[in-house]
Amino acid sequence: MVFKRRDRRSVGRAVAEALYPRGGWRRAFGYVKHRLQRLPDTPEKIGRGIFAGVLASWTPFYGLHFLIAVIFAKIGRGNMLAALLGTFFGNPLTYVPIGVVALQTGYFILGRPPGRGIETSLMGKFGAAGQDLWHNLGALFGPERVDWHGLGLFYHDVFLPYLVGGLLPGLISAFACYWLFVPVITAYQNRRRRKLRTKLQALGKNPETPADEGTGPG
């Protein structure tokens, strides 16, 4: 297959590279920035795509951020690939801070006392909810009793506050990324146009017709 990896990664290696990319996080962030700059679309549509991806990263639907980002981008008429790249805002370095901020904000909005030990128990609560769900799915086809008590506690203590509390900081982060990236992408595309015009003028061709190729529709 054309896109098949030559060296098959073990599960441990895949997890390790997810937590720390082979080239380091700085290189990974640089790659995302480079890809965003070279997308063939207007800066505004790319910015709306980034907005969608960043906002999706603040939702508690882990494993579905790509899908949610695409839906948000579709609604906001943003660039789909930019939305997928925008979900990189949520990564192993930011998941815990995002979760803590979302939960604390959610507790405040819902009028509940702040939870204690959120930093150390957040991922544990998600893991316990996953085990509870897996157990109940197995119980549907076996002799064990289905018990949704654990998931009910998870919904009340984690999911609902996370969902409600992630909206405000998610919007703030998404708007900040939009206003940060749109000027950068605009400057990059303008600089690229000037380079294309210079090359075409050096070749003695008309620079007006093909100069805007690769920048996408208006």
Side-chain angles (χ1 to χ4, degrees):
M1 295 178 64
V2 177
F3 299 104
K4 188 175 181 180
R5 292 180 60 94
R6 293 182 179 179
D7 55 330
R8 299 187 63 180
R9 297 184 301 175
S10 63
V11 176
R13 181 181 172 187
V15 173
E17 291 185 4
L19 295 175
Y20 189 82
R22 184 181 302 178
W25 282 108
R26 183 176 181 179
R27 181 178 179 182
F29 282 115
Y31 172 78
V32 173
K33 179 182 177 182
H34 176 73
R35 291 296 301 168
L36 287 171
Q37 288 178 333
R38 295 183 65 86
L39 288 177
D41 216 333
T42 63
E44 291 74 19
K45 289 191 68 175
I46 296 174
R48 291 197 294 270
I50 297 172
F51 181 99
V54 173
L55 183 59
S57 299
W58 282 86
T59 65
F61 300 101
Y62 288 97
L64 299 176
H65 285 168
F66 278 0
L67 177 60
I68 295 173
V70 168
I71 294 174
F72 285 169
K74 190 73 173 178
I75 295 174
R77 297 183 179 180
N79 184 280
M80 299 294 181
L81 184 54
L84 298 180
L85 292 173
T87 60
F88 193 74
F89 183 87
N91 57 75
L93 295 179
T94 61
Y95 278 142
V96 172
I98 286 175
V100 171
V101 171
L103 282 173
Q104 295 286 15
T105 305
Y107 289 144
F108 176 79
I109 293 175
L110 296 174
R112 302 179 187 175
R116 295 182 179 180
I118 295 177
E119 296 86 348
T120 57
S121 63
L122 178 61
M123 301 310 296
K125 289 180 179 178
F126 271 96
Q131 291 178 357
D132 199 2
L133 180 61
W134 183 256
H135 167 80
N136 289 334
L137 288 176
L140 293 175
F141 304 97
E144 298 182 7
R145 176 180 295 182
V146 176
D147 183 9
W148 299 104
H149 178 70
L151 281 174
L153 290 176
F154 171 79
Y155 173 82
H156 182 270
D157 294 341
V158 178
F159 183 83
L160 182 59
Y162 197 130
L163 183 64
V164 174
L167 181 60
L168 180 59
L171 287 172
I172 294 174
S173 301
F175 273 115
C177 289
Y178 176 89
W179 293 114
L180 174 66
F181 273 95
V182 168
V184 172
I185 296 171
T186 301
Y188 174 84
Q189 290 186 353
N190 289 337
R191 184 169 64 251
R192 192 179 182 192
R193 289 191 186 100
R194 288 194 296 269
K195 289 182 178 180
L196 286 173
R197 290 193 181 99
T198 301
K199 290 181 180 180
L200 291 172
Q201 287 173 352
L203 294 173
K205 296 183 179 180
N206 181 8
E208 297 299 329
T209 301
D212 292 334
E213 289 184 0
T215 60

